[in-house]
Amino acid sequence: NLVMYGAPQNLVAIAGNQEVTLSWNANTESDLAKYNVYYTTDTTAAYTLLASVNAPDTSYTHTGLTNGVTYYY
């Protein structure tokens, strides 16, 4: 069975040189296994699955980006 959890809160994105580090508050569900991170560069397009981050980790660094391009997570 698929269980839906609430989105993590307080997402912070810190831009670097060709990378963005994302961090968020941990969800409180005790059986949460992972966080799926999605992104797009076009808000009218579908988001693409970027990574699955195993709980209890609460950060991910998206590398290989193009400086000056806006990324949405």
Side-chain angles (χ1 to χ4, degrees):
N1 291 337
L2 178 65
V3 177
M4 299 298 290
Y5 296 98
Q9 300 297 306
N10 299 317
L11 175 65
V12 174
I14 299 173
N17 184 24
Q18 297 183 322
E19 68 181 30
V20 170
T21 299
L22 305 169
S23 62
W24 55 87
N25 289 359
N27 281 35
T28 58
E29 293 90 349
S30 62
D31 60 345
L32 181 76
K34 63 184 175 181
Y35 300 94
N36 288 329
V37 179
Y38 293 86
Y39 86 104
T40 188
T41 57
D42 179 353
T43 58
T44 63
Y47 281 70
T48 300
L49 178 62
L50 173 63
S52 290
V53 177
N54 292 326
D57 292 346
T58 57
S59 67
Y60 177 78
T61 300
H62 187 184
T63 60
L65 304 180
T66 301
N67 291 339
V69 172
T70 301
Y71 294 83
Y72 301 91
Y73 297 92

